[in-house]
Amino acid sequence: SFPTLSTVTYLTGENDNVPTVIFPHTYHDEEDQPIESMLLSHAARAKHIVFDGRLLHGAPAHPSLLRCRKDASEKSKEVHVSADADGESSLRVTFLVNIWASGRPAGVHILPDDIRRKIQLSASELQSLQ
């Protein structure tokens, strides 16, 4: 089954080049049907988006999808924003939540106690640093 709603909350800001891409196409649509549009959501810290969880979505790092800005020296020329000299995208940190109104996600298992304890210990260590 697929979630009723999918959400993305951006924890990193404008240096995160890789957008979330959402297509008006579901798993049940014909595969040979062209996808003629898409929604791009570029990161902004604390930005939150919600969409139909059945829609095809992802975060491809293709250069044509990266945020562009006007080069100050050449006002008509657009250049891709890059976090480092190698042209690699900056770290993308998001918090994703999917909501199922009915059904249950396939292949989901309860997190084992030993992993849960490690996460709790890590969280308490982070709190002690603040």
Side-chain angles (χ1 to χ4, degrees):
S1 73
F2 293 93
T4 306
L5 297 173
S6 291
T7 72
V8 178
T9 302
Y10 298 92
L11 303 178
T12 49
E14 286 71 25
N15 286 336
D16 172 2
N17 286 343
V18 180
T20 301
V21 180
I22 305 168
F23 296 97
H25 186 84
T26 70
Y27 176 79
H28 301 291
D29 290 339
E30 295 293 325
E31 288 182 25
D32 60 349
Q33 197 169 31
I35 300 174
E36 297 179 356
S37 65
M38 66 179 165
L39 179 126
L40 286 180
S41 175
H42 284 281
R45 189 174 205 157
K47 179 180 180 181
H48 181 75
I49 61 172
V50 180
F51 53 92
D52 183 333
R54 297 171 300 165
L55 296 178
L56 176 63
H57 59 281
H62 193 276
S64 67
L65 299 175
L66 300 181
R67 176 182 290 132
C68 292
R69 64 171 167 73
K70 297 286 183 186
D71 186 346
S73 64
E74 298 179 50
K75 293 184 188 216
S76 64
K77 182 181 176 187
E78 289 187 341
V79 295
H80 293 296
V81 176
S82 179
D84 61 34
D86 296 332
E88 293 295 319
S89 176
S90 62
L91 179 67
R92 173 188 164 92
V93 181
T94 56
F95 180 69
L96 309 174
V97 175
N98 290 319
I99 301 166
W100 277 260
S102 62
R104 181 178 173 182
V108 175
H109 305 283
I110 294 174
L111 191 65
D113 285 336
D114 61 326
I115 295 174
R116 197 172 310 149
R117 277 192 293 278
K118 287 178 184 176
I119 292 171
Q120 289 170 338
L121 288 174
S122 296
S124 64
E125 289 172 0
L126 284 173
Q127 288 176 344
S128 69
L129 295 175
Q130 294 178 349

